[in-house]
Amino acid sequence: MPDIVAVKTPLKSQLSQSSGLPEIHLFGLLLLAALLLGFDTISHLKGGIGDEDVHRYQIGWFMQGRFEIFQYVTMLPLYHLIVAAIAKLTGLVSLNGIRFSHMLFAASVIPAMYFTVKRFFPAEAIARTLLLVFIPFFFPLFFLTYTDLPSLMVVLFMVERCWQRHYGAAGLLALVAVLLRQPNIIWVAFCSCMIALQVAREMQLRLILTNVLNPKFLQQVLWRNRFMVVVYVLFVIFVAVNGGVAVGDAEQHPISFNLSNLYFFLLVAWAVFLPFNVEQLPRIKSLLVRHWWIALVLVAGFFVYFYTYGHPHKYNSATLVFYGHNWFLHYTSDVTLWRVLSYIPIAWMGLSYVVAVRTSVHGDLLLLLVPFALLSFVPLPLIEQRYYFVALALIMLWRPPMSRLSTLINLAGFLVLSAFILFNVSRQSFFL
């Protein structure tokens, strides 16, 4: 049996016992209050911030009945069409009205995470959902017109439907996911491989070459993926007709090989999962003692990291200090001392992940996640924490349980940082 830290009392039970309300009702009330307070805070933000104006321009065109694609919108405008429809239906057509319409759409990521977690760790559905919602650079996007949260919602539901073997629904969700953001084709492929894992389990096969080439195995995998295959064909046709993946602003989004996105992802993940990472220290020590050669890999990894970490994209320029992640990139990449020290959390997160794969009851899914997570951000020249949302959500979904104390510390830290960041974004002190 995997070595798992048991959660003595689920967070939802603690909340319920202290209030007298059923857990799910209290959970809903807390999130409703958080969303309304968050929206009230962001309503002080006059004008668009970041890429908001690009998205609002497209939404505005649709509200006016002008069905064209704005030249700087990089994805197919399904998100914009939905937000425009909500705004027109409700009459919320002002700046804050459009943001409120977006929030109604983006909030669907909450039930998506909740019901998906229930399939894997039912007792922790509320705790893990709260942790996802209040990730400090995640929470402000409930109130700003960005596509990331609606996109994540569809991907999570797609994963949940695949796990439940409802392949027709999963195929439909896969199509919607790609229409929302074309790079989601990577997560459609992930679900296809997750289906292959399910077939291998049912047939009691190990995923080695001879078994993978087993005709019965291949037949089952292809049959269950038949709806996904339709999505792949449509995607190939779209890329051929469009001349690439991006719809607009394509010159700023070429395909590249950018290991710096991996390093930044590990730094972000280390911070997001810090209490969990602290709990893994004894296991990491044991892992290093039993497998001494890992230390050699870490040393070699340091030299690769040291000579390949950078931020050449113009949108990651150190002069754009208004964007907080650029400031962070500047210090960890351009200042030698911080560059060296930053390798510690990078290596720590990598080792914590190895331990999580070895100890989680869903370790095979965590292991399968690795190549697809890399494909989702390493080919991108721009370093941006929003590209990591799906990978972070799936790690949150499948990592081993934490202790009650670590969960509470994690959530309390997220709440404080989310409030701090949201307030400063609303006053245009900085952006994410």
Side-chain angles (χ1 to χ4, degrees):
M1 288 291 290
D3 183 11
I4 298 173
V5 178
V7 180
K8 295 179 180 178
T9 304
L11 183 60
K12 64 178 184 179
S13 297
Q14 299 172 57
L15 294 172
S16 178
Q17 290 168 8
S18 62
S19 67
L21 288 173
E23 297 95 344
I24 194 65
H25 294 169
L26 181 59
F27 172 61
L29 287 172
L30 286 173
L31 286 174
L32 178 61
L35 290 176
L36 292 176
L37 284 171
F39 181 79
D40 181 66
T41 301
I42 213 69
S43 66
H44 292 87
L45 177 62
K46 307 303 179 186
I49 192 168
D51 288 341
E52 262 204 310
D53 284 334
V54 172
H55 296 304
R56 270 199 308 124
Y57 207 86
Q58 182 69 75
I59 293 166
W61 277 10
F62 285 157
M63 288 194 299
Q64 296 163 17
R66 183 178 174 182
F67 295 99
E68 303 172 28
I69 299 179
F70 183 50
Q71 62 177 330
Y72 295 112
V73 171
T74 59
M75 70 285 296
L76 292 166
L78 176 61
Y79 159 80
H80 309 83
L81 188 62
I82 293 172
V83 173
I86 296 172
K88 286 279 285 185
L89 184 65
T90 58
L92 300 172
V93 295
S94 65
L95 168 62
N96 281 329
I98 292 173
R99 285 177 175 152
F100 192 83
S101 300
H102 158 82
M103 185 184 75
L104 295 177
F105 187 20
S108 58
V109 77
I110 298 172
M113 185 65 178
Y114 176 79
F115 287 112
T116 306
V117 176
K118 285 203 77 169
R119 301 301 184 191
F120 298 94
F121 292 99
E124 294 190 50
I126 287 178
R128 296 194 191 217
T129 302
L130 288 172
L131 287 172
L132 179 75
V133 167
F134 290 109
I135 290 176
F137 53 84
F138 187 101
F139 186 65
L141 295 183
F142 278 101
F143 318 107
L144 302 173
T145 51
Y146 276 73
T147 63
D148 303 271
L149 302 193
S151 172
L152 175 60
M153 174 270 294
V154 179
V155 171
L156 286 171
F157 273 131
M158 176 176 64
V159 169
E160 189 271 341
R161 290 293 81 190
C162 275
W163 185 255
Q164 293 300 107
R165 295 170 171 78
H166 294 166
Y167 302 121
L172 180 60
L173 288 163
L175 179 61
V176 175
V178 174
L179 288 174
L180 280 171
R181 288 175 71 100
Q182 296 90 272
N184 281 338
I185 194 69
I186 293 167
W187 300 112
V188 177
F190 172 82
C191 284
S192 289
C193 291
M194 191 168 73
I195 291 170
L197 276 179
Q198 289 178 329
V199 175
R201 285 175 178 171
E202 291 171 13
M203 298 179 67
Q204 298 182 330
L205 296 175
R206 292 178 60 196
L207 285 180
I208 57 177
L209 183 60
T210 53
N211 288 336
V212 167
L213 297 177
N214 182 314
K216 290 183 178 180
F217 173 78
L218 288 174
Q219 183 182 21
Q220 273 297 306
V221 170
L222 288 172
W223 175 248
R224 297 187 192 191
N225 271 292
R226 62 194 183 278
F227 301 107
M228 302 298 192
V229 170
V230 174
V231 177
Y232 299 139
V233 171
L234 292 174
F235 180 78
V236 170
I237 293 171
F238 162 77
V239 172
V241 172
N242 185 60
V245 175
V247 176
D249 201 22
E251 65 277 6
Q252 297 303 327
H253 297 84
I255 300 298
S256 68
F257 181 72
N258 185 11
L259 286 174
S260 295
N261 250 320
L262 170 60
Y263 309 140
F264 195 62
F265 167 78
L266 290 170
L267 285 168
V268 169
W270 175 80
V272 168
F273 298 105
L274 183 56
F276 173 78
N277 292 332
V278 170
E279 285 195 351
Q280 304 316 302
L281 284 173
R283 293 182 178 82
I284 291 173
K285 179 182 176 181
S286 177
L287 181 70
L288 292 173
V289 169
R290 292 199 305 269
H291 304 284
W292 58 268
W293 54 267
I294 293 177
L296 299 179
V297 173
L298 292 175
V299 172
F302 171 77
F303 287 102
V304 173
Y305 152 81
F306 191 82
Y307 291 105
T308 57
Y309 188 24
H311 51 90
H313 197 285
K314 71 175 187 178
Y315 292 167
N316 290 136
S317 170
T319 59
L320 299 175
V321 292
F322 177 70
Y323 296 89
H325 68 282
N326 286 344
W327 176 85
F328 190 80
L329 279 168
H330 165 65
Y331 277 94
T332 59
S333 176
D334 300 338
V335 180
T336 302
L337 177 60
W338 285 107
R339 188 186 186 97
V340 172
L341 291 177
S342 294
Y343 187 68
I344 296 172
I346 287 172
W348 185 354
M349 183 63 221
L351 291 170
S352 289
Y353 197 85
V354 171
V355 169
V357 169
R358 292 163 61 94
T359 58
S360 175
V361 293
H362 300 294
D364 54 349
L365 293 174
L366 284 172
L367 187 59
L368 178 64
L369 175 61
V370 173
F372 294 95
L374 293 175
L375 282 171
S376 71
F377 49 71
V378 169
L380 304 178
L382 179 65
I383 300 172
E384 169 67 69
Q385 70 279 350
R386 291 185 297 110
Y387 299 153
Y388 313 149
F389 279 176
V390 176
L392 291 172
L394 294 179
I395 294 171
M396 185 78 76
L397 180 62
W398 293 318
R399 64 156 172 77
M402 289 194 299
S403 68
R404 178 178 59 187
L405 178 61
S406 291
T407 300
L408 289 171
I409 290 172
N410 206 168
L411 184 56
F414 279 3
L415 287 168
V416 171
L417 285 172
S418 289
F420 173 78
I421 290 174
L422 188 63
F423 177 82
N424 281 280
V425 168
S426 72
R427 269 60 180 179
Q428 297 195 34
S429 302
F430 60 79
F431 192 48
L432 304 173

